[in-house]
Coordinates of all heavy atoms in Angstrom, one line a residue:
Q1 N -70.2 116.3 -16.6 CA -69.2 115.3 -16.5 C -69.5 114.3 -15.4 O -68.6 113.6 -14.9 CB -67.9 116.0 -16.3 CG -67.5 116.8 -17.5 CD -66.0 117.2 -17.5 OE1 -65.3 116.6 -16.8 NE2 -65.7 118.2 -18.2
I2 N -70.8 114.3 -15.0 CA -71.2 113.4 -13.9 C -70.9 111.9 -14.3 O -70.5 111.1 -13.4 CB -72.6 113.6 -13.5 CG1 -72.8 115.0 -12.9 CG2 -73.1 112.6 -12.6 CD1 -74.2 115.5 -12.7
G3 N -71.1 111.6 -15.6 CA -70.9 110.3 -16.0 C -69.5 109.7 -15.7 O -69.3 108.5 -15.4
K4 N -68.5 110.6 -15.7 CA -67.1 110.1 -15.4 C -67.0 109.7 -13.9 O -66.4 108.7 -13.6 CB -66.1 111.3 -15.6 CG -65.9 111.6 -17.0 CD -64.9 112.8 -17.1 CE -64.7 113.2 -18.6 NZ -63.8 114.3 -18.7
F5 N -67.7 110.4 -13.0 CA -67.7 110.0 -11.6 C -68.6 108.7 -11.4 O -68.3 107.9 -10.6 CB -68.3 111.1 -10.8 CG -67.3 112.3 -10.7 CD1 -67.6 113.4 -11.5 CD2 -66.2 112.3 -9.9 CE1 -66.7 114.5 -11.4 CE2 -65.3 113.3 -9.9 CZ -65.6 114.5 -10.6
K6 N -69.7 108.6 -12.1 CA -70.6 107.5 -12.0 C -69.9 106.2 -12.3 O -70.2 105.1 -11.8 CB -71.9 107.6 -12.8 CG -72.7 108.8 -12.3 CD -74.2 108.6 -12.3 CE -74.8 107.4 -12.1 NZ -75.5 107.2 -10.9
K7 N -68.9 106.2 -13.2 CA -68.1 105.0 -13.5 C -67.4 104.5 -12.3 O -67.0 103.3 -12.3 CB -67.2 105.3 -14.7 CG -67.9 105.5 -16.0 CD -66.9 105.8 -17.1 CE -67.6 106.1 -18.4 NZ -66.7 106.5 -19.5
L8 N -67.1 105.4 -11.4 CA -66.3 105.0 -10.2 C -67.2 104.5 -9.1 O -66.7 103.9 -8.1 CB -65.5 106.2 -9.7 CG -64.5 106.8 -10.6 CD1 -64.0 108.1 -10.1 CD2 -63.4 105.8 -10.9
G9 N -68.5 104.7 -9.2 CA -69.4 104.2 -8.1 C -70.5 105.3 -7.9 O -70.8 106.1 -8.7
R10 N -71.2 105.2 -6.8 CA -72.2 106.1 -6.4 C -71.7 107.5 -6.3 O -70.6 107.7 -5.8 CB -72.9 105.7 -5.1 CG -73.7 104.4 -5.3 CD -74.4 104.1 -4.1 NE -75.4 103.0 -4.3 CZ -76.2 102.5 -3.5 NH1 -76.2 103.0 -2.2 NH2 -77.0 101.6 -3.8
V11 N -72.6 108.5 -6.7 CA -72.2 109.9 -6.6 C -73.1 110.6 -5.7 O -74.3 110.5 -5.8 CB -72.2 110.5 -8.0 CG1 -71.9 112.0 -8.0 CG2 -71.3 109.8 -9.0
F12 N -72.5 111.4 -4.8 CA -73.2 112.2 -3.8 C -72.8 113.7 -4.1 O -71.7 114.0 -4.3 CB -72.7 111.8 -2.4 CG -73.3 112.7 -1.3 CD1 -74.4 112.2 -0.6 CD2 -72.8 113.9 -1.0 CE1 -74.9 113.0 0.4 CE2 -73.3 114.6 0.1 CZ -74.4 114.2 0.8
A13 N -73.8 114.6 -4.1 CA -73.5 116.0 -4.4 C -74.4 116.9 -3.5 O -75.5 116.5 -3.1 CB -73.8 116.3 -5.8
G14 N -73.8 117.9 -3.1 CA -74.5 119.0 -2.3 C -74.1 120.3 -2.9 O -73.0 120.8 -2.8
V15 N -75.1 120.9 -3.6 CA -74.9 122.2 -4.2 C -75.6 123.4 -3.6 O -75.5 124.5 -4.0 CB -75.2 122.1 -5.7 CG1 -74.2 121.2 -6.4 CG2 -76.6 121.7 -6.0
S16 N -76.5 123.1 -2.6 CA -77.4 124.1 -2.0 C -76.5 125.3 -1.6 O -75.6 125.1 -0.8 CB -78.1 123.5 -0.9 OG -79.2 122.8 -1.3
R17 N -76.9 126.4 -2.1 CA -76.4 127.7 -1.6 C -74.9 127.9 -1.8 O -74.3 128.9 -1.2 CB -76.7 127.9 -0.1 CG -78.2 127.8 0.2 CD -78.5 127.9 1.7 NE -79.9 127.6 1.9 CZ -80.4 127.5 3.1 NH1 -79.6 127.6 4.2 NH2 -81.7 127.3 3.3
K18 N -74.3 127.1 -2.6 CA -72.8 127.2 -2.8 C -72.5 128.5 -3.5 O -73.3 129.1 -4.2 CB -72.3 126.0 -3.6 CG -72.5 124.7 -2.9 CD -71.7 124.7 -1.6 CE -71.7 123.3 -0.9 NZ -72.5 123.3 0.3
S19 N -71.2 128.9 -3.4 CA -70.7 130.2 -3.9 C -70.8 130.2 -5.4 O -71.1 131.3 -6.0 CB -69.3 130.5 -3.4 OG -68.4 129.5 -3.9
F20 N -70.6 129.1 -6.1 CA -70.7 129.1 -7.6 C -72.1 129.5 -8.0 O -72.3 130.2 -9.1 CB -70.2 127.8 -8.2 CG -71.2 126.7 -8.2 CD1 -72.0 126.5 -9.3 CD2 -71.4 125.9 -7.2 CE1 -73.0 125.5 -9.4 CE2 -72.3 124.8 -7.2 CZ -73.1 124.7 -8.3
L21 N -73.1 129.2 -7.2 CA -74.5 129.6 -7.6 C -74.6 131.1 -7.4 O -75.4 131.7 -8.2 CB -75.5 128.8 -6.7 CG -75.5 127.3 -7.0 CD1 -76.4 126.6 -6.0 CD2 -76.0 127.0 -8.4
G22 N -74.0 131.6 -6.4 CA -74.0 133.1 -6.2 C -73.3 133.8 -7.4 O -73.8 134.8 -7.9
T23 N -72.2 133.2 -7.9 CA -71.5 133.8 -9.0 C -72.4 133.7 -10.3 O -72.6 134.7 -11.0 CB -70.2 133.1 -9.3 OG1 -69.4 133.2 -8.1 CG2 -69.5 133.6 -10.5
L24 N -73.0 132.6 -10.5 CA -73.9 132.4 -11.7 C -75.1 133.3 -11.6 O -75.6 133.8 -12.7 CB -74.3 130.9 -11.9 CG -73.2 130.0 -12.2 CD1 -73.7 128.5 -12.2 CD2 -72.6 130.3 -13.6
S25 N -75.7 133.4 -10.4 CA -77.0 134.1 -10.3 C -76.9 135.6 -9.9 O -77.8 136.3 -10.1 CB -77.8 133.4 -9.2 OG -77.3 133.5 -8.0
G26 N -75.7 135.9 -9.4 CA -75.6 137.3 -8.9 C -76.2 137.5 -7.6 O -76.4 138.7 -7.1
I27 N -76.5 136.4 -6.9 CA -77.1 136.5 -5.5 C -76.0 136.3 -4.5 O -75.5 135.2 -4.4 CB -78.2 135.5 -5.4 CG1 -79.3 135.7 -6.4 CG2 -78.8 135.5 -3.9 CD1 -80.4 134.6 -6.4
A28 N -75.7 137.4 -3.8 CA -74.6 137.3 -2.9 C -74.9 136.6 -1.6 O -74.0 135.8 -1.1 CB -74.1 138.7 -2.5
E29 N -76.1 136.7 -1.1 CA -76.5 136.1 0.2 C -76.8 134.6 0.0 O -77.8 134.3 -0.7 CB -77.6 136.9 0.8 CG -78.1 136.3 2.1 CD -77.0 136.3 3.2 OE1 -76.3 137.3 3.3 OE2 -77.0 135.3 3.9
P30 N -76.1 133.7 0.6 CA -76.4 132.3 0.5 C -77.8 131.9 0.8 O -78.4 131.1 0.1 CB -75.4 131.6 1.4 CG -74.3 132.5 1.5 CD -74.9 133.9 1.5
S31 N -78.4 132.5 1.8 CA -79.8 132.1 2.2 C -80.8 132.5 1.2 O -81.9 132.0 1.2 CB -80.1 132.7 3.6 OG -80.1 134.1 3.5
E32 N -80.4 133.3 0.2 CA -81.4 133.8 -0.8 C -81.2 133.0 -2.1 O -81.8 133.3 -3.1 CB -81.2 135.3 -1.1 CG -81.5 136.1 0.1 CD -81.3 137.6 0.0 OE1 -81.0 138.0 -1.2 OE2 -81.4 138.3 0.9
R33 N -80.4 131.9 -2.1 CA -80.1 131.2 -3.3 C -81.0 129.9 -3.4 O -80.6 128.9 -4.0 CB -78.6 130.8 -3.3 CG -77.7 131.9 -3.4 CD -76.2 131.5 -3.5 NE -75.3 132.6 -3.3 CZ -74.2 132.5 -2.6 NH1 -73.7 131.3 -2.2 NH2 -73.4 133.6 -2.5
R34 N -82.2 130.0 -3.0 CA -83.1 128.9 -3.0 C -83.4 128.4 -4.5 O -83.3 127.2 -4.8 CB -84.4 129.2 -2.3 CG -84.2 129.3 -0.8 CD -85.5 129.6 -0.1 NE -86.4 128.4 -0.2 CZ -87.6 128.5 0.2 NH1 -88.2 129.5 0.7 NH2 -88.4 127.4 0.1
A35 N -83.7 129.4 -5.3 CA -84.1 129.0 -6.7 C -82.9 128.5 -7.5 O -83.0 127.4 -8.1 CB -84.7 130.2 -7.4
P36 N -81.7 129.1 -7.4 CA -80.6 128.5 -8.1 C -80.2 127.2 -7.6 O -79.8 126.3 -8.3 CB -79.4 129.6 -7.9 CG -80.1 130.8 -7.5 CD -81.4 130.4 -6.9
S37 N -80.3 127.0 -6.3 CA -80.0 125.7 -5.7 C -81.0 124.6 -6.2 O -80.5 123.5 -6.6 CB -80.1 125.7 -4.1 OG -79.1 126.6 -3.6
L38 N -82.2 124.9 -6.3 CA -83.2 124.0 -6.7 C -82.9 123.6 -8.2 O -83.0 122.4 -8.6 CB -84.6 124.5 -6.6 CG -85.8 123.6 -6.9 CD1 -85.7 122.3 -6.1 CD2 -87.1 124.3 -6.7
V39 N -82.6 124.6 -9.0 CA -82.3 124.3 -10.4 C -81.1 123.4 -10.5 O -81.1 122.4 -11.3 CB -82.1 125.6 -11.2 CG1 -81.6 125.3 -12.6 CG2 -83.4 126.4 -11.3
A40 N -80.1 123.7 -9.8 CA -78.9 122.8 -9.8 C -79.2 121.4 -9.4 O -78.7 120.4 -9.9 CB -77.8 123.5 -9.0
E41 N -80.0 121.3 -8.3 CA -80.3 120.0 -7.8 C -81.2 119.2 -8.8 O -80.9 118.0 -9.0 CB -81.1 120.1 -6.5 CG -80.2 120.6 -5.4 CD -80.9 121.1 -4.1 OE1 -82.2 121.2 -4.2 OE2 -80.2 121.4 -3.2
L42 N -82.1 119.8 -9.5 CA -82.9 119.2 -10.5 C -82.0 118.7 -11.7 O -82.2 117.6 -12.2 CB -84.0 120.1 -11.0 CG -85.1 120.4 -10.0 CD1 -86.1 121.4 -10.6 CD2 -85.9 119.1 -9.6
H43 N -81.0 119.5 -12.0 CA -80.1 119.1 -13.1 C -79.3 117.9 -12.7 O -79.2 116.9 -13.4 CB -79.1 120.2 -13.4 CG -78.1 119.8 -14.3 ND1 -78.3 119.6 -15.7 CD2 -76.7 119.6 -14.1 CE1 -77.2 119.2 -16.3 NE2 -76.2 119.2 -15.4
L44 N -78.8 117.8 -11.4 CA -78.1 116.7 -10.9 C -78.9 115.4 -11.0 O -78.5 114.4 -11.4 CB -77.5 116.9 -9.5 CG -76.4 118.0 -9.4 CD1 -76.2 118.3 -8.0 CD2 -75.2 117.5 -10.1
I45 N -80.2 115.6 -10.5 CA -81.1 114.4 -10.5 C -81.4 113.9 -11.9 O -81.4 112.7 -12.1 CB -82.4 114.7 -9.7 CG1 -82.1 115.0 -8.2 CG2 -83.4 113.6 -9.8 CD1 -83.2 115.6 -7.5
S46 N -81.5 114.9 -12.8 CA -81.8 114.5 -14.2 C -80.6 113.8 -14.8 O -80.7 113.1 -15.8 CB -82.1 115.7 -15.0 OG -81.0 116.5 -15.3
Q47 N -79.4 113.9 -14.2 CA -78.2 113.3 -14.7 C -78.0 111.9 -14.0 O -76.9 111.4 -14.1 CB -77.0 114.2 -14.5 CG -77.1 115.5 -15.3 CD -77.2 115.2 -16.8 OE1 -76.3 114.6 -17.4 NE2 -78.2 115.8 -17.4
A48 N -79.0 111.5 -13.3 CA -79.0 110.2 -12.5 C -78.0 110.2 -11.4 O -77.4 109.1 -11.1 CB -78.8 109.0 -13.5
I49 N -77.8 111.3 -10.7 CA -76.9 111.3 -9.5 C -77.6 110.4 -8.5 O -78.8 110.3 -8.4 CB -76.6 112.7 -9.1 CG1 -75.4 112.8 -8.2 CG2 -77.8 113.3 -8.4 CD1 -74.7 114.1 -8.3
D50 N -76.8 109.8 -7.6 CA -77.4 108.9 -6.7 C -77.9 109.6 -5.4 O -79.0 109.1 -4.9 CB -76.3 107.9 -6.2 CG -75.8 107.1 -7.4 OD1 -76.7 106.3 -8.0 OD2 -74.7 107.2 -7.9
F51 N -77.3 110.6 -4.9 CA -77.7 111.3 -3.7 C -77.5 112.8 -3.8 O -76.5 113.2 -4.3 CB -76.9 110.8 -2.5 CG -76.9 109.3 -2.2 CD1 -75.9 108.5 -2.7 CD2 -78.0 108.8 -1.5 CE1 -75.9 107.1 -2.5 CE2 -78.0 107.4 -1.3 CZ -77.0 106.6 -1.8
V52 N -78.5 113.5 -3.4 CA -78.4 115.0 -3.4 C -78.7 115.5 -2.0 O -79.7 115.2 -1.4 CB -79.4 115.6 -4.4 CG1 -79.4 117.1 -4.3 CG2 -79.2 115.2 -5.8
R53 N -77.7 116.2 -1.5 CA -77.9 116.9 -0.2 C -78.6 118.2 -0.4 O -78.1 119.0 -1.3 CB -76.6 117.1 0.5 CG -76.7 117.8 1.8 CD -75.3 118.2 2.4 NE -75.4 119.0 3.5 CZ -75.5 120.3 3.5 NH1 -75.6 121.0 2.3 NH2 -75.6 121.0 4.6
T54 N -79.7 118.5 0.3 CA -80.4 119.7 0.0 C -80.8 120.4 1.3 O -80.9 119.8 2.3 CB -81.7 119.4 -0.8 OG1 -82.4 120.6 -1.1 CG2 -82.6 118.5 -0.1
H55 N -81.0 121.7 1.2 CA -81.5 122.5 2.3 C -83.0 122.6 2.2 O -83.7 123.2 3.1 CB -80.9 123.9 2.3 CG -79.5 124.0 2.8 ND1 -78.5 124.0 1.9 CD2 -79.0 123.9 4.0 CE1 -77.3 124.1 2.6 NE2 -77.6 124.0 3.9
E56 N -83.6 122.0 1.1 CA -85.0 122.1 0.9 C -85.7 120.7 0.7 O -86.2 120.5 -0.4 CB -85.3 123.0 -0.4 CG -84.7 124.4 -0.3 CD -85.3 125.3 0.7 OE1 -86.5 125.1 1.1 OE2 -84.6 126.2 1.1
P57 N -85.6 119.9 1.7 CA -86.1 118.5 1.5 C -87.6 118.4 1.2 O -88.1 117.5 0.6 CB -85.7 117.8 2.8 CG -85.5 118.8 3.8 CD -85.0 120.0 3.0
E58 N -88.3 119.4 1.7 CA -89.8 119.4 1.5 C -90.1 119.9 0.1 O -91.2 119.6 -0.4 CB -90.5 120.2 2.5 CG -90.2 121.7 2.5 CD -88.8 122.2 3.1 OE1 -88.2 121.4 3.8 OE2 -88.4 123.3 2.8
T59 N -89.3 120.6 -0.6 CA -89.5 121.2 -1.9 C -89.1 120.3 -3.0 O -89.7 120.3 -4.1 CB -88.9 122.6 -2.0 OG1 -89.3 123.4 -0.9 CG2 -89.2 123.3 -3.3
L60 N -88.0 119.7 -2.9 CA -87.3 119.0 -4.0 C -88.2 117.9 -4.6 O -88.3 117.8 -5.8 CB -86.0 118.4 -3.5 CG -85.1 117.8 -4.6 CD1 -84.8 118.9 -5.7 CD2 -83.7 117.4 -4.0
P61 N -88.9 117.0 -3.8 CA -89.7 116.0 -4.5 C -90.8 116.5 -5.4 O -91.0 116.0 -6.5 CB -90.3 115.2 -3.3 CG -89.3 115.4 -2.2 CD -88.8 116.8 -2.4
G62 N -91.5 117.5 -4.9 CA -92.5 118.1 -5.8 C -91.9 118.8 -7.0 O -92.5 118.7 -8.1
A63 N -90.8 119.5 -6.8 CA -90.2 120.1 -8.0 C -89.7 119.1 -9.0 O -89.9 119.3 -10.2 CB -89.0 121.0 -7.5
W64 N -89.2 118.0 -8.5 CA -88.8 116.9 -9.4 C -89.9 116.3 -10.2 O -89.9 116.1 -11.4 CB -88.0 115.8 -8.6 CG -87.7 114.6 -9.5 CD1 -88.1 113.4 -9.4 CD2 -86.8 114.7 -10.6 NE1 -87.5 112.6 -10.4 CE2 -86.7 113.4 -11.2 CE3 -86.0 115.6 -11.2 CZ2 -86.0 113.0 -12.3 CZ3 -85.2 115.3 -12.4 CH2 -85.2 114.0 -12.8
S65 N -91.1 116.1 -9.5 CA -92.3 115.6 -10.2 C -92.7 116.5 -11.3 O -93.0 116.1 -12.4 CB -93.4 115.5 -9.2 OG -93.1 114.5 -8.3
I66 N -92.7 117.8 -11.1 CA -93.1 118.8 -12.1 C -92.1 118.8 -13.2 O -92.4 118.8 -14.4 CB -93.3 120.2 -11.5 CG1 -94.5 120.2 -10.5 CG2 -93.4 121.3 -12.6 CD1 -94.6 121.4 -9.7
Y67 N -90.8 118.8 -12.9 CA -89.7 118.8 -13.9 C -89.9 117.6 -14.8 O -89.8 117.7 -16.0 CB -88.4 118.7 -13.1 CG -87.2 118.7 -14.1 CD1 -86.6 119.8 -14.6 CD2 -86.6 117.4 -14.4 CE1 -85.6 119.8 -15.4 CE2 -85.5 117.4 -15.3 CZ -85.0 118.6 -15.8 OH -83.9 118.5 -16.6
K68 N -90.1 116.4 -14.3 CA -90.3 115.2 -15.1 C -91.5 115.4 -16.1 O -91.4 115.0 -17.2 CB -90.5 114.0 -14.2 CG -89.3 113.5 -13.5 CD -89.5 112.1 -12.9 CE -90.6 112.1 -11.9 NZ -90.8 110.9 -11.2
E69 N -92.6 115.9 -15.6 CA -93.8 116.1 -16.4 C -93.5 117.1 -17.5 O -93.9 116.9 -18.7 CB -95.0 116.6 -15.6 CG -95.5 115.6 -14.7 CD -96.1 114.4 -15.4 OE1 -96.7 114.6 -16.5 OE2 -96.0 113.3 -14.9
L70 N -92.7 118.2 -17.2 CA -92.4 119.2 -18.2 C -91.5 118.6 -19.3 O -91.6 119.0 -20.5 CB -91.7 120.4 -17.6 CG -92.6 121.2 -16.7 CD1 -91.8 122.3 -16.0 CD2 -93.7 121.9 -17.6
R71 N -90.6 117.7 -18.9 CA -89.7 117.1 -19.9 C -90.5 116.2 -21.0 O -89.9 116.0 -22.0 CB -88.7 116.2 -19.2 CG -87.7 117.1 -18.5 CD -86.6 116.3 -17.8 NE -85.9 115.5 -18.8 CZ -84.9 114.6 -18.5 NH1 -84.6 114.4 -17.3 NH2 -84.3 113.9 -19.4
T72 N -91.7 115.8 -20.6 CA -92.4 114.9 -21.6 C -93.4 115.7 -22.4 O -94.0 115.2 -23.3 CB -93.2 113.8 -20.8 OG1 -94.2 114.5 -20.0 CG2 -92.3 113.0 -20.0
C73 N -93.5 117.0 -22.2 CA -94.4 117.9 -23.0 C -93.8 118.1 -24.4 O -92.6 118.2 -24.6 CB -94.6 119.2 -22.3 SG -95.5 119.1 -20.8

């Protein structure tokens, strides 16, 4: 439902290590939610979100490049 928010203006999201990712993944410890966080961030970027706050700034650009390539396969 990101499109509803985009109609209002720029959208900023921060999902890294959030509790909903723990619920979805079964990972209780926030510091161990790197993979679920990255997947959620890639999803947000794929939905044309404007800004993503991340705990993994060195990982996200490379992951996004690979994600884009995989989408064209």
Side-chain angles (χ1 to χ4, degrees):
Q1 299 194 16
I2 294 169
K4 291 180 182 179
F5 292 102
K6 293 218 30 108
K7 290 179 184 178
L8 300 172
R10 291 184 167 182
V11 179
F12 177 97
V15 295
S16 283
R17 305 177 184 171
K18 298 294 185 252
S19 62
F20 82 94
L21 294 172
T23 300
L24 292 173
S25 67
I27 301 171
E29 179 57 43
S31 64
E32 295 177 8
R33 297 182 192 145
R34 291 179 68 188
S37 294
L38 185 58
V39 171
E41 290 164 354
L42 291 173
H43 173 70
L44 290 170
I45 295 168
S46 76
Q47 300 298 306
I49 200 151
D50 297 295
F51 302 97
V52 175
R53 178 188 172 275
T54 182
H55 285 99
E56 304 293 335
E58 66 284 344
T59 304
L60 190 55
W64 175 244
S65 294
I66 293 168
Y67 179 84
K68 288 189 304 185
E69 291 296 323
L70 290 172
R71 288 182 59 183
T72 63
C73 293

